[in-house]
Every structure is written in C-alpha cells, then in structure tokens.
C-alpha cells in the first residue's frame, strides 16, 4: 500500500493569518477604506450624508477633481475643518492615486479632529480610470473607462461607444451606466 501526502504548500502560504486574524484585518481595512465605485454610488444618492474631500494641491485640483468634492489640501485641514465641515460629519478623503499617501495623512488629521473618516483607495487616478466624470476648469469631462480597471456595460469589445477610441468626452457625450468590474 502506498501512502499519499498532500502537496507541500508553496512559499506563498508559508506564513498565513489564522481565520480570526484574517477577519480582523479585512474588517479593519473596510472600516477605513472605500473604493471609487462605492463613492460614486454614494454620491449619486439624493443625500450622500458625507463630505468628499480632495486633499491635493491647488494645481492638481485645477486639472480635475471629483464633482462635489471639497478642496482642502492636507496642510490646511486643522485650520479650516472647523468652519467647513460640521463636527462629527463623516468624511471620505482622496489624493492622486495608490502611490500617494496624502489621503492617508489627511484621514489621520480628520480622525484626530473626531470625524468618522475613510480613504478612497485609488484616489483621483482610479476615479478617472474607472470612467467617472470629473470637473475641470472647462467644465465636466470624462475619459473612457480603462479596460484593465473597469468593464463597460457592453464588455471590453464596445469599440463603437463614445470615447472607446480614447478621446476625451465632454458635456452631453459623457456616457452613463459604467459599472465596476469587481
């Protein structure tokens, strides 16, 4: 009789959290992070019940920002929040993108001031990459969704859709119905 053994675990799982550790970790992340699709859905509600804060520089804000966001660079949060954001109001902060920790720093500032706060992971970069409209000095604009981060309603092959060839969409040409791939 031959004895069979389970294949050896790869180095990938040499160190793995227990069930309880994993649950605590992922619950903890969800308590402080939110993705751009969830923010877009919440902003579409009749009364969003939170303040969205863009923590980037004046120059970055001018290039484009999420519609309805409050521009409040991190270095000015402690000074301006008492007059701009009512005490206890939930806040979602964002900066440029995943390689920027400005939103993390801003989230800490809001937490220190007593606000419930979440960081919009992916930041403005992923807001744009997922195909959501954004404000510019020239008005509302939108780029087509990046096929690697988002799936258009008709799938990856919807090449006849407005913006599918990479052009900037503005005004009435901004498509609706873009959904998150995850």
């Amino acid at each position: 009789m031959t004895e069979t053994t389970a294949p050896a675990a790869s180095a990938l799982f040499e160190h793995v959290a227990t069930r309880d550790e994993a649950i605590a970790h992922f619950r903890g992340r969800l308590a402080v992070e939110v993705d751009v699709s969830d923010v877009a859905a919440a902003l579409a509600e009749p009364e969003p019940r939170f303040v969205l804060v863009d923590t980037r520089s004046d120059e970055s804000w001018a290039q484009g920002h999420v519609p309805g966001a409050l521009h409040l660079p991190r270095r000015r949060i402690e000074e301006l929040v008492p007059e701009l954001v009512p005490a206890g109001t939930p806040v979602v902060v964002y900066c440029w993108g995943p390689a920027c920790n400005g939103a993390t720093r801003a989230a800490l500032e809001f937490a220190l001031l007593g606000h419930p706060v979440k960081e919009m992971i992916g930041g403005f970069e992923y807001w744009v990459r997922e195909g959501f409209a954004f404000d510019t000095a020239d008005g509302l604009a939108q780029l087509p969704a990046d096929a690697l981060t988002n799936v258009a309603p008709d799938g990856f092959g919807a090449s006849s859709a407005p913006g599918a060839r990479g052009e900037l969409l503005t005004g009435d040409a901004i498509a609706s119905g873009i959904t998150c791939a995850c």
Side-chain angles (χ1 to χ4, degrees), residues 4-5 20 22 27 29 33 43 53 74 81-85 88 97 119 124 127 132 138 140 143 151 160 170 176 179:
T4 59
T5 59
D20 290 343
R27 276 193 179 143
R29 285 189 60 192
E33 297 176 345
L43 288 172
V53 177
R74 187 197 57 80
V81 162
E83 67 185 69
L84 297 176
V85 183
E119 180 179 356
F124 183 70
W127 182 270
F132 295 115
D138 296 325
L140 204 57
L143 294 173
V151 178
S160 63
T170 59
S176 63
T179 58

PDB file of all heavy atoms in Angstrom, residues 4-5 20 22 27 29 33 43 53 74 81-85 88 97 119 124 127 132 138 140 143 151 160 170 176 179:
ATOM      1  N   THR A   4      -0.096   8.423   0.328  1.00  0.00           N
ATOM      2  CA  THR A   4      -0.117   9.706  -0.384  1.00  0.00           C
ATOM      3  C   THR A   4      -0.159  10.829   0.633  1.00  0.00           C
ATOM      4  O   THR A   4      -0.770  10.711   1.688  1.00  0.00           O
ATOM      5  CB  THR A   4      -1.336   9.822  -1.318  1.00  0.00           C
ATOM      6  OG1 THR A   4      -2.512   9.700  -0.544  1.00  0.00           O
ATOM      7  CG2 THR A   4      -1.299   8.756  -2.402  1.00  0.00           C
ATOM      8  N   THR A   5       0.513  11.898   0.283  1.00  0.00           N
ATOM      9  CA  THR A   5       0.504  13.073   1.158  1.00  0.00           C
ATOM     10  C   THR A   5       0.053  14.273   0.357  1.00  0.00           C
ATOM     11  O   THR A   5       0.180  14.306  -0.865  1.00  0.00           O
ATOM     12  CB  THR A   5       1.908  13.359   1.734  1.00  0.00           C
ATOM     13  OG1 THR A   5       2.800  13.572   0.650  1.00  0.00           O
ATOM     14  CG2 THR A   5       2.403  12.218   2.593  1.00  0.00           C
ATOM     15  N   ASP A  20      -9.365  34.079  12.370  1.00  0.00           N
ATOM     16  CA  ASP A  20      -9.732  35.256  13.159  1.00  0.00           C
ATOM     17  C   ASP A  20      -8.843  36.460  12.835  1.00  0.00           C
ATOM     18  O   ASP A  20      -9.318  37.593  12.792  1.00  0.00           O
ATOM     19  CB  ASP A  20      -9.691  34.944  14.654  1.00  0.00           C
ATOM     20  CG  ASP A  20     -10.822  34.003  15.075  1.00  0.00           C
ATOM     21  OD1 ASP A  20     -11.803  33.853  14.309  1.00  0.00           O
ATOM     22  OD2 ASP A  20     -10.724  33.433  16.176  1.00  0.00           O
ATOM     23  N   ALA A  22      -7.363  37.032   9.951  1.00  0.00           N
ATOM     24  CA  ALA A  22      -7.759  37.499   8.617  1.00  0.00           C
ATOM     25  C   ALA A  22      -9.056  38.300   8.688  1.00  0.00           C
ATOM     26  O   ALA A  22      -9.175  39.363   8.072  1.00  0.00           O
ATOM     27  CB  ALA A  22      -7.903  36.317   7.658  1.00  0.00           C
ATOM     28  N   ARG A  27     -11.788  43.292   8.070  1.00  0.00           N
ATOM     29  CA  ARG A  27     -12.807  44.191   8.642  1.00  0.00           C
ATOM     30  C   ARG A  27     -12.184  45.548   8.948  1.00  0.00           C
ATOM     31  O   ARG A  27     -12.809  46.586   8.740  1.00  0.00           O
ATOM     32  CB  ARG A  27     -13.401  43.594   9.910  1.00  0.00           C
ATOM     33  CG  ARG A  27     -14.510  42.635   9.635  1.00  0.00           C
ATOM     34  CD  ARG A  27     -15.286  42.304  10.900  1.00  0.00           C
ATOM     35  NE  ARG A  27     -16.367  41.396  10.559  1.00  0.00           N
ATOM     36  CZ  ARG A  27     -16.763  40.406  11.324  1.00  0.00           C
ATOM     37  NH1 ARG A  27     -16.172  40.196  12.493  1.00  0.00           N
ATOM     38  NH2 ARG A  27     -17.745  39.623  10.940  1.00  0.00           N
ATOM     39  N   ARG A  29      -9.636  46.997   7.435  1.00  0.00           N
ATOM     40  CA  ARG A  29      -9.435  47.745   6.183  1.00  0.00           C
ATOM     41  C   ARG A  29     -10.745  48.332   5.681  1.00  0.00           C
ATOM     42  O   ARG A  29     -10.786  49.480   5.242  1.00  0.00           O
ATOM     43  CB  ARG A  29      -8.820  46.840   5.113  1.00  0.00           C
ATOM     44  CG  ARG A  29      -7.349  46.583   5.364  1.00  0.00           C
ATOM     45  CD  ARG A  29      -6.687  45.893   4.224  1.00  0.00           C
ATOM     46  NE  ARG A  29      -6.779  46.678   3.001  1.00  0.00           N
ATOM     47  CZ  ARG A  29      -6.474  46.197   1.804  1.00  0.00           C
ATOM     48  NH1 ARG A  29      -6.072  44.951   1.651  1.00  0.00           N
ATOM     49  NH2 ARG A  29      -6.576  46.966   0.744  1.00  0.00           N
ATOM     50  N   GLU A  33     -11.308  52.164   4.554  1.00  0.00           N
ATOM     51  CA  GLU A  33     -11.117  52.323   3.113  1.00  0.00           C
ATOM     52  C   GLU A  33     -12.424  52.123   2.365  1.00  0.00           C
ATOM     53  O   GLU A  33     -13.287  51.359   2.790  1.00  0.00           O
ATOM     54  CB  GLU A  33     -10.104  51.296   2.576  1.00  0.00           C
ATOM     55  CG  GLU A  33      -8.730  51.434   3.129  1.00  0.00           C
ATOM     56  CD  GLU A  33      -7.778  50.350   2.643  1.00  0.00           C
ATOM     57  OE1 GLU A  33      -8.229  49.315   2.094  1.00  0.00           O
ATOM     58  OE2 GLU A  33      -6.573  50.534   2.832  1.00  0.00           O
ATOM     59  N   LEU A  43     -22.394  59.060  -3.848  1.00  0.00           N
ATOM     60  CA  LEU A  43     -22.608  60.447  -4.304  1.00  0.00           C
ATOM     61  C   LEU A  43     -23.864  60.571  -5.159  1.00  0.00           C
ATOM     62  O   LEU A  43     -24.455  61.651  -5.254  1.00  0.00           O
ATOM     63  CB  LEU A  43     -21.397  60.962  -5.083  1.00  0.00           C
ATOM     64  CG  LEU A  43     -20.145  61.253  -4.264  1.00  0.00           C
ATOM     65  CD1 LEU A  43     -18.972  61.572  -5.190  1.00  0.00           C
ATOM     66  CD2 LEU A  43     -20.386  62.386  -3.283  1.00  0.00           C
ATOM     67  N   VAL A  53     -13.558  64.911   0.317  1.00  0.00           N
ATOM     68  CA  VAL A  53     -12.503  65.916   0.400  1.00  0.00           C
ATOM     69  C   VAL A  53     -11.327  65.541  -0.492  1.00  0.00           C
ATOM     70  O   VAL A  53     -10.736  64.469  -0.348  1.00  0.00           O
ATOM     71  CB  VAL A  53     -12.020  66.087   1.861  1.00  0.00           C
ATOM     72  CG1 VAL A  53     -10.866  67.083   1.935  1.00  0.00           C
ATOM     73  CG2 VAL A  53     -13.169  66.526   2.759  1.00  0.00           C
ATOM     74  N   ARG A  74      -4.188  68.905   2.610  1.00  0.00           N
ATOM     75  CA  ARG A  74      -3.918  68.343   3.934  1.00  0.00           C
ATOM     76  C   ARG A  74      -3.320  69.356   4.899  1.00  0.00           C
ATOM     77  O   ARG A  74      -3.709  69.430   6.059  1.00  0.00           O
ATOM     78  CB  ARG A  74      -2.992  67.134   3.820  1.00  0.00           C
ATOM     79  CG  ARG A  74      -2.830  66.423   5.166  1.00  0.00           C
ATOM     80  CD  ARG A  74      -1.650  65.507   5.210  1.00  0.00           C
ATOM     81  NE  ARG A  74      -0.397  66.145   4.904  1.00  0.00           N
ATOM     82  CZ  ARG A  74       0.324  66.882   5.765  1.00  0.00           C
ATOM     83  NH1 ARG A  74      -0.098  67.074   6.984  1.00  0.00           N
ATOM     84  NH2 ARG A  74       1.458  67.419   5.390  1.00  0.00           N
ATOM     85  N   VAL A  81     -11.108  72.924   8.791  1.00  0.00           N
ATOM     86  CA  VAL A  81     -12.194  71.972   9.020  1.00  0.00           C
ATOM     87  C   VAL A  81     -13.263  72.511   9.971  1.00  0.00           C
ATOM     88  O   VAL A  81     -14.454  72.357   9.690  1.00  0.00           O
ATOM     89  CB  VAL A  81     -11.655  70.608   9.481  1.00  0.00           C
ATOM     90  CG1 VAL A  81     -12.724  69.759  10.136  1.00  0.00           C
ATOM     91  CG2 VAL A  81     -11.088  69.871   8.280  1.00  0.00           C
ATOM     92  N   PRO A  82     -12.891  73.158  11.087  1.00  0.00           N
ATOM     93  CA  PRO A  82     -13.949  73.623  11.995  1.00  0.00           C
ATOM     94  C   PRO A  82     -14.985  74.534  11.336  1.00  0.00           C
ATOM     95  O   PRO A  82     -16.160  74.494  11.694  1.00  0.00           O
ATOM     96  CB  PRO A  82     -13.175  74.363  13.092  1.00  0.00           C
ATOM     97  CG  PRO A  82     -11.836  73.696  13.102  1.00  0.00           C
ATOM     98  CD  PRO A  82     -11.555  73.378  11.647  1.00  0.00           C
ATOM     99  N   GLU A  83     -14.588  75.304  10.338  1.00  0.00           N
ATOM    100  CA  GLU A  83     -15.553  76.187   9.677  1.00  0.00           C
ATOM    101  C   GLU A  83     -16.196  75.567   8.439  1.00  0.00           C
ATOM    102  O   GLU A  83     -17.245  76.017   8.003  1.00  0.00           O
ATOM    103  CB  GLU A  83     -14.902  77.531   9.323  1.00  0.00           C
ATOM    104  CG  GLU A  83     -13.819  77.441   8.263  1.00  0.00           C
ATOM    105  CD  GLU A  83     -13.108  78.756   8.028  1.00  0.00           C
ATOM    106  OE1 GLU A  83     -12.373  79.188   8.931  1.00  0.00           O
ATOM    107  OE2 GLU A  83     -13.291  79.327   6.931  1.00  0.00           O
ATOM    108  N   LEU A  84     -15.597  74.517   7.873  1.00  0.00           N
ATOM    109  CA  LEU A  84     -16.100  73.950   6.620  1.00  0.00           C
ATOM    110  C   LEU A  84     -16.852  72.624   6.774  1.00  0.00           C
ATOM    111  O   LEU A  84     -17.696  72.300   5.936  1.00  0.00           O
ATOM    112  CB  LEU A  84     -14.950  73.751   5.636  1.00  0.00           C
ATOM    113  CG  LEU A  84     -14.221  75.018   5.182  1.00  0.00           C
ATOM    114  CD1 LEU A  84     -13.042  74.654   4.282  1.00  0.00           C
ATOM    115  CD2 LEU A  84     -15.186  75.953   4.453  1.00  0.00           C
ATOM    116  N   VAL A  85     -16.505  71.847   7.791  1.00  0.00           N
ATOM    117  CA  VAL A  85     -17.107  70.523   7.955  1.00  0.00           C
ATOM    118  C   VAL A  85     -17.667  70.421   9.373  1.00  0.00           C
ATOM    119  O   VAL A  85     -16.907  70.424  10.337  1.00  0.00           O
ATOM    120  CB  VAL A  85     -16.065  69.406   7.708  1.00  0.00           C
ATOM    121  CG1 VAL A  85     -16.717  68.040   7.806  1.00  0.00           C
ATOM    122  CG2 VAL A  85     -15.377  69.578   6.353  1.00  0.00           C
ATOM    123  N   GLY A  88     -18.340  65.895  13.630  1.00  0.00           N
ATOM    124  CA  GLY A  88     -18.949  64.574  13.562  1.00  0.00           C
ATOM    125  C   GLY A  88     -19.402  64.128  12.186  1.00  0.00           C
ATOM    126  O   GLY A  88     -19.837  62.997  12.023  1.00  0.00           O
ATOM    127  N   GLY A  97      -3.419  59.081  -6.199  1.00  0.00           N
ATOM    128  CA  GLY A  97      -3.605  57.675  -6.521  1.00  0.00           C
ATOM    129  C   GLY A  97      -2.914  56.759  -5.536  1.00  0.00           C
ATOM    130  O   GLY A  97      -2.488  57.185  -4.468  1.00  0.00           O
ATOM    131  N   GLU A 119     -10.668  56.497   3.593  1.00  0.00           N
ATOM    132  CA  GLU A 119      -9.806  56.889   2.473  1.00  0.00           C
ATOM    133  C   GLU A 119     -10.337  56.226   1.207  1.00  0.00           C
ATOM    134  O   GLU A 119     -10.615  55.022   1.197  1.00  0.00           O
ATOM    135  CB  GLU A 119      -8.375  56.425   2.741  1.00  0.00           C
ATOM    136  CG  GLU A 119      -7.402  56.762   1.652  1.00  0.00           C
ATOM    137  CD  GLU A 119      -5.989  56.312   1.968  1.00  0.00           C
ATOM    138  OE1 GLU A 119      -5.733  55.796   3.081  1.00  0.00           O
ATOM    139  OE2 GLU A 119      -5.139  56.480   1.092  1.00  0.00           O
ATOM    140  N   PHE A 124      -7.912  59.968  -7.144  1.00  0.00           N
ATOM    141  CA  PHE A 124      -8.430  60.584  -8.362  1.00  0.00           C
ATOM    142  C   PHE A 124      -8.017  59.791  -9.598  1.00  0.00           C
ATOM    143  O   PHE A 124      -8.782  59.673 -10.549  1.00  0.00           O
ATOM    144  CB  PHE A 124      -7.952  62.034  -8.469  1.00  0.00           C
ATOM    145  CG  PHE A 124      -8.509  62.750  -9.662  1.00  0.00           C
ATOM    146  CD1 PHE A 124      -9.854  63.074  -9.719  1.00  0.00           C
ATOM    147  CD2 PHE A 124      -7.706  63.093 -10.732  1.00  0.00           C
ATOM    148  CE1 PHE A 124     -10.391  63.723 -10.826  1.00  0.00           C
ATOM    149  CE2 PHE A 124      -8.226  63.754 -11.839  1.00  0.00           C
ATOM    150  CZ  PHE A 124      -9.575  64.065 -11.886  1.00  0.00           C
ATOM    151  N   TRP A 127     -10.508  57.143 -10.079  1.00  0.00           N
ATOM    152  CA  TRP A 127     -11.800  57.752 -10.415  1.00  0.00           C
ATOM    153  C   TRP A 127     -11.861  57.945 -11.938  1.00  0.00           C
ATOM    154  O   TRP A 127     -12.829  57.568 -12.598  1.00  0.00           O
ATOM    155  CB  TRP A 127     -11.973  59.089  -9.692  1.00  0.00           C
ATOM    156  CG  TRP A 127     -13.291  59.736  -9.952  1.00  0.00           C
ATOM    157  CD1 TRP A 127     -13.589  60.612 -10.970  1.00  0.00           C
ATOM    158  CD2 TRP A 127     -14.505  59.563  -9.217  1.00  0.00           C
ATOM    159  NE1 TRP A 127     -14.911  60.977 -10.897  1.00  0.00           N
ATOM    160  CE2 TRP A 127     -15.482  60.350  -9.833  1.00  0.00           C
ATOM    161  CE3 TRP A 127     -14.840  58.818  -8.096  1.00  0.00           C
ATOM    162  CZ2 TRP A 127     -16.799  60.420  -9.356  1.00  0.00           C
ATOM    163  CZ3 TRP A 127     -16.134  58.887  -7.619  1.00  0.00           C
ATOM    164  CH2 TRP A 127     -17.104  59.685  -8.253  1.00  0.00           C
ATOM    165  N   PHE A 132     -15.393  57.570 -14.556  1.00  0.00           N
ATOM    166  CA  PHE A 132     -16.322  58.514 -13.953  1.00  0.00           C
ATOM    167  C   PHE A 132     -16.005  59.936 -14.399  1.00  0.00           C
ATOM    168  O   PHE A 132     -14.850  60.292 -14.634  1.00  0.00           O
ATOM    169  CB  PHE A 132     -16.280  58.426 -12.423  1.00  0.00           C
ATOM    170  CG  PHE A 132     -16.752  57.096 -11.903  1.00  0.00           C
ATOM    171  CD1 PHE A 132     -15.884  56.252 -11.247  1.00  0.00           C
ATOM    172  CD2 PHE A 132     -18.065  56.690 -12.085  1.00  0.00           C
ATOM    173  CE1 PHE A 132     -16.310  55.018 -10.775  1.00  0.00           C
ATOM    174  CE2 PHE A 132     -18.506  55.466 -11.621  1.00  0.00           C
ATOM    175  CZ  PHE A 132     -17.624  54.628 -10.965  1.00  0.00           C
ATOM    176  N   ASP A 138     -12.727  73.790 -17.572  1.00  0.00           N
ATOM    177  CA  ASP A 138     -13.565  73.922 -18.763  1.00  0.00           C
ATOM    178  C   ASP A 138     -14.914  73.228 -18.623  1.00  0.00           C
ATOM    179  O   ASP A 138     -15.676  73.145 -19.579  1.00  0.00           O
ATOM    180  CB  ASP A 138     -12.829  73.358 -19.983  1.00  0.00           C
ATOM    181  CG  ASP A 138     -11.572  74.140 -20.306  1.00  0.00           C
ATOM    182  OD1 ASP A 138     -11.568  75.372 -20.111  1.00  0.00           O
ATOM    183  OD2 ASP A 138     -10.593  73.515 -20.744  1.00  0.00           O
ATOM    184  N   LEU A 140     -17.387  69.793 -17.088  1.00  0.00           N
ATOM    185  CA  LEU A 140     -17.370  68.355 -16.847  1.00  0.00           C
ATOM    186  C   LEU A 140     -16.676  67.630 -17.993  1.00  0.00           C
ATOM    187  O   LEU A 140     -16.892  67.948 -19.160  1.00  0.00           O
ATOM    188  CB  LEU A 140     -18.815  67.866 -16.708  1.00  0.00           C
ATOM    189  CG  LEU A 140     -19.066  66.596 -15.925  1.00  0.00           C
ATOM    190  CD1 LEU A 140     -18.511  66.701 -14.515  1.00  0.00           C
ATOM    191  CD2 LEU A 140     -20.542  66.297 -15.881  1.00  0.00           C
ATOM    192  N   LEU A 143     -13.028  60.499 -19.415  1.00  0.00           N
ATOM    193  CA  LEU A 143     -12.240  59.655 -20.297  1.00  0.00           C
ATOM    194  C   LEU A 143     -12.915  58.296 -20.347  1.00  0.00           C
ATOM    195  O   LEU A 143     -13.601  57.905 -19.397  1.00  0.00           O
ATOM    196  CB  LEU A 143     -10.808  59.509 -19.767  1.00  0.00           C
ATOM    197  CG  LEU A 143      -9.973  60.787 -19.770  1.00  0.00           C
ATOM    198  CD1 LEU A 143      -8.642  60.551 -19.066  1.00  0.00           C
ATOM    199  CD2 LEU A 143      -9.752  61.279 -21.185  1.00  0.00           C
ATOM    200  N   VAL A 151     -15.165  47.454 -16.499  1.00  0.00           N
ATOM    201  CA  VAL A 151     -15.807  46.826 -17.644  1.00  0.00           C
ATOM    202  C   VAL A 151     -17.011  47.669 -18.034  1.00  0.00           C
ATOM    203  O   VAL A 151     -17.896  47.907 -17.220  1.00  0.00           O
ATOM    204  CB  VAL A 151     -16.264  45.379 -17.304  1.00  0.00           C
ATOM    205  CG1 VAL A 151     -16.964  44.754 -18.487  1.00  0.00           C
ATOM    206  CG2 VAL A 151     -15.069  44.541 -16.890  1.00  0.00           C
ATOM    207  N   SER A 160     -17.504  50.832 -30.503  1.00  0.00           N
ATOM    208  CA  SER A 160     -18.274  51.884 -31.159  1.00  0.00           C
ATOM    209  C   SER A 160     -18.855  52.881 -30.151  1.00  0.00           C
ATOM    210  O   SER A 160     -19.440  53.886 -30.541  1.00  0.00           O
ATOM    211  CB  SER A 160     -19.409  51.270 -31.996  1.00  0.00           C
ATOM    212  OG  SER A 160     -20.304  50.587 -31.125  1.00  0.00           O
ATOM    213  N   THR A 170     -16.876  65.152 -23.246  1.00  0.00           N
ATOM    214  CA  THR A 170     -17.328  66.325 -22.500  1.00  0.00           C
ATOM    215  C   THR A 170     -18.822  66.501 -22.694  1.00  0.00           C
ATOM    216  O   THR A 170     -19.422  65.932 -23.600  1.00  0.00           O
ATOM    217  CB  THR A 170     -16.612  67.605 -22.983  1.00  0.00           C
ATOM    218  OG1 THR A 170     -16.873  67.781 -24.376  1.00  0.00           O
ATOM    219  CG2 THR A 170     -15.115  67.520 -22.747  1.00  0.00           C
ATOM    220  N   SER A 176     -23.233  57.240 -19.444  1.00  0.00           N
ATOM    221  CA  SER A 176     -23.636  56.790 -18.119  1.00  0.00           C
ATOM    222  C   SER A 176     -23.693  55.279 -18.126  1.00  0.00           C
ATOM    223  O   SER A 176     -23.611  54.640 -19.161  1.00  0.00           O
ATOM    224  CB  SER A 176     -25.004  57.387 -17.760  1.00  0.00           C
ATOM    225  OG  SER A 176     -25.970  56.903 -18.676  1.00  0.00           O
ATOM    226  N   THR A 179     -20.028  50.465 -15.024  1.00  0.00           N
ATOM    227  CA  THR A 179     -20.089  49.686 -13.784  1.00  0.00           C
ATOM    228  C   THR A 179     -18.711  49.183 -13.417  1.00  0.00           C
ATOM    229  O   THR A 179     -17.858  49.001 -14.276  1.00  0.00           O
ATOM    230  CB  THR A 179     -21.040  48.497 -13.945  1.00  0.00           C
ATOM    231  OG1 THR A 179     -20.586  47.699 -15.033  1.00  0.00           O
ATOM    232  CG2 THR A 179     -22.457  48.952 -14.198  1.00  0.00           C
TER     233      THR A 179
END
